[in-house]
Amino acid sequence: MIATIVQTLAPAARDLTRLDAVKAELGIADAAQDAWLTDAIRQASDAIAAFCRRPEGFGRATWTETFRFAAGRAEASLLLARDLAPAITSVTEDGIALDPAEYLLDGSILRRLQDDAPAPWQAAKVVVVYQAGWALLAELPYDVERCCLDLVVRAHQAKGRDPGLRSERILDVIAQSWDTPGGDGFKDGLPRDVAERLGPYIRWAV
């Protein structure tokens, strides 16, 4: 089976938090840093999407996914490529639109039904139009937004200093320690604590 997917309607937004939320977190009242913070939000949002293996982002979009089957090959079920809260718009089997009673969406698994019982997909081509993702930011889980906020806040706090500096002790002698994006304090380019909180949202290969 060959599956291809095309985005037919882009999400309304990609940012995983709002400028006013970041400014409240940092205690900033004026607009002097708005441009920098806006860029930082976009960079943090893209970094989270990349870490979670979701380059399309988390925003709700419309997708058209086409499944092509080898001659005589049947499939027990179809796995949709976009798995965040999918909702089916239409399913077409060899050019014929199916009634909603002829299929069942189980999470991101699409099953064929005949007489309300499971049946294999046997068509040469199945085209599925569906929406997937969250309406940002109304439906986005807060822990994802919290991760974005944390990244932006840390980026702001790191302005003007060595971003790899983990600690500094000044007694009779200065003792310093550093971390880098490849060090123990990071995982795949993100701070380890942020990366661990994003674990449930990673798209795993199957």
Side-chain angles (χ1 to χ4, degrees), residues 15-22 25 41 44-45 48 58 134 136-153 194 197-198 201:
D15 291 351
L16 298 179
T17 192
R18 294 186 175 90
L19 178 62
D20 57 354
V22 171
E25 193 82 7
I41 290 171
S45 299
I48 289 172
F58 291 83
W134 289 304
L136 301 180
L137 293 158
E139 299 174 350
L140 181 71
Y142 182 67
D143 48 352
V144 177
E145 183 181 6
R146 180 72 257 175
C147 287
C148 187
L149 275 168
D150 286 353
L151 290 179
V152 176
V153 168
V194 173
R197 281 181 280 153
L198 290 170
Y201 306 99

Side-chain angles (χ1 to χ4, degrees), residues 63 65 87-92 97-98 103 110 126-130:
W63 302 90
E65 191 163 5
I88 300 294
T89 301
S90 67
V91 179
T92 303
L98 297 184
Y103 56 84
L110 186 63
V126 176
V127 180
V128 185
V129 179
Y130 63 100

Side-chain angles (χ1 to χ4, degrees), residues 55-201:
E56 74 280 2
F58 291 83
R60 195 153 187 83
T62 301
W63 302 90
T64 298
E65 191 163 5
T66 303
F67 300 87
R68 293 178 172 86
F69 304 89
R73 178 72 180 269
E75 295 286 341
S77 59
L78 303 178
L79 180 63
L80 301 181
R82 303 294 179 254
D83 60 343
L84 296 179
I88 300 294
T89 301
S90 67
V91 179
T92 303
E93 193 178 59
D94 287 339
I96 299 174
L98 297 184
D99 187 274
E102 296 179 289
Y103 56 84
L104 173 68
L105 183 62
D106 179 11
S108 59
I109 299 173
L110 186 63
R111 305 186 189 279
R112 186 71 163 88
L113 297 178
Q114 287 184 349
D115 298 325
D116 205 33
W121 293 94
Q122 296 180 311
K125 183 169 73 171
V126 176
V127 180
V128 185
V129 179
Y130 63 100
Q131 292 184 324
W134 289 304
L136 301 180
L137 293 158
E139 299 174 350
L140 181 71
Y142 182 67
D143 48 352
V144 177
E145 183 181 6
R146 180 72 257 175
C147 287
C148 187
L149 275 168
D150 286 353
L151 290 179
V152 176
V153 168
R154 293 180 197 191
H156 184 270
Q157 292 172 342
K159 289 173 66 178
R161 69 170 174 84
D162 185 345
L165 183 64
R166 298 178 63 186
S167 63
E168 182 177 32
R169 181 167 57 90
I170 302 176
L171 294 173
D172 295 331
V173 178
I174 293 176
Q176 298 174 319
S177 63
W178 280 262
D179 205 351
T180 66
D184 291 340
F186 286 79
K187 181 178 180 181
D188 294 337
L190 291 186
R192 185 165 293 276
D193 64 307
V194 173
E196 290 174 352
R197 281 181 280 153
L198 290 170
Y201 306 99

